Amino acid sequence: MTDEIKKGLLGIVVDETTISQVMPEINSLTYRGYAVQDLCEMCSFEEVAYLILNGNLPNGIQLNKFKKEEKENRNITTNMREIIKHIPKKAHPMDVSRTIVSVMGLEDKDTSDNSPKANMRKIMKIFAKTPTAIAAFFRIRKGKKIIKPKKELSFSENFFYMCFGKIPQKEIVKAFDVSLILYAEHSFNVSTFTARTITSSLSDIYSAITGAIASLKGPLHGGANEEVMNMMKKIKTPNKAKSWLIDNLNKKQVVMGFGHRVYKSGDSRVPTMKKYFLKVSKLKKDKNLYKISEIIEKEMIEKKNIHPNLDFPTGPTYHLMGFDTDFFTPIFVIARITGWSAHIIEQYASNKLIRPLSKYKGSDHRKVVLLNQR
Ligand code: ACO
């Protein structure tokens, strides 16, 4: 045992995983051995969700069964709808996301059954119902009626439909699907590690995912995609981008959507998402945000040698698709439920209570003095 402190567990390997890895030989994030950019071009989000949860890409029969189950689980209860209707409209949608998964745990009679079979059943419920509940809050807080899910639609089409009442062009749906694939999994990041830590005490899957959502909310993790958009709203036009950035760097402020604990010379997910950001910008005939992002990226690399992470192109892409800024991280939740769930399964299968040590630097031993003598 060593007394050396590794703040933020920097560089510490805490367990093994078979789910994902940044493979240096192809300089890319891989899910179960497949490069994410290949998955984005050749698969749907449902196929990738199946891969992450089950270990292999599905064949046609397996995929149809998976999609059927997902569709059959989309509806939320009347109780859940009533709860969503009564949530304060100003609540942050990430707090709402956290609450709805917690409510699902209250509604499920199998919550405490941690057997592999019950867990797969519960994962399918969380995976299928969370988008429905998030879309319900998206509408309710605008004073609009909740739209029920439609079984004939794909996962991504259905989310657009439940939020906006219509489905955009197929290229926009594809861009959204790609963003979900890229957001689906990334090894032992903060929220996944939170989920694994909660699981390690043999708590239940709803608790682990509720905790993971709480962890994802922070601006140093998933919350960064919202902060990227807030930054772009402040910059407004490409001609102000460079001066804004220099001013920000002079003030020693963190630029959201840049830097990464694992990638120090570029996030392998960014080129794919950037391609779809440009496609969506062209389809929407609005390249303002894309131009701003190009300038910020170039200057950040030149001045600080810090590269953008996935949140940088994703935030403005979601904005162009019509989503409210504070719904960007809940969309990340919808995707990452797959990765969290796979890690929870892995943790249960080979569990060891996660309990690190700390170096004590508080006061020396003291004697307690009674209240009237203090
Ligand atoms: N803007 C400005 N400077 C930065 C940034 C940034 N975005 N990121 C890192 N740096 C600087 C740090 O100030 C530090 O400089 P120093 O050595 O002079 O003190 C150096 O680069 C190393 O950065 P650390 O913060 O030590 O790197 P760490 O691995 O701990 O943090 C993190 C990674 C938290 C992602 C960080 O880069 C950051 O705060 N980025 C902005 C938030 C963000 O975009 N988060 C999303 C992460 S990806 C995701 O969740 C999908």
Side-chain angles (χ1 to χ4, degrees), residues 13 18 26 40 79 103 128 139 223 275-276 323:
V13 178
T18 62
I26 53 167
C40 285
N79 176 50
V103 171
R139 293 188 62 84
K275 188 174 105 185
Y276 284 90
F323 293 107

Side-chain angles (χ1 to χ4, degrees), residues 13-53:
V13 178
V14 297
D15 209 337
E16 296 175 327
T17 183
T18 62
I19 305 165
S20 72
Q21 162 76 345
V22 177
M23 288 190 178
E25 64 269 34
I26 53 167
N27 194 26
S28 171
L29 174 63
T30 53
Y31 299 159
R32 308 283 191 186
Y34 298 104
V36 282
Q37 51 273 31
D38 294 345
L39 293 170
C40 285
E41 297 309 334
M42 297 167 79
C43 302
S44 64
F45 174 59
E46 289 92 327
E47 286 171 81
V48 176
Y50 182 99
L51 167 73
I52 291 172
L53 292 170

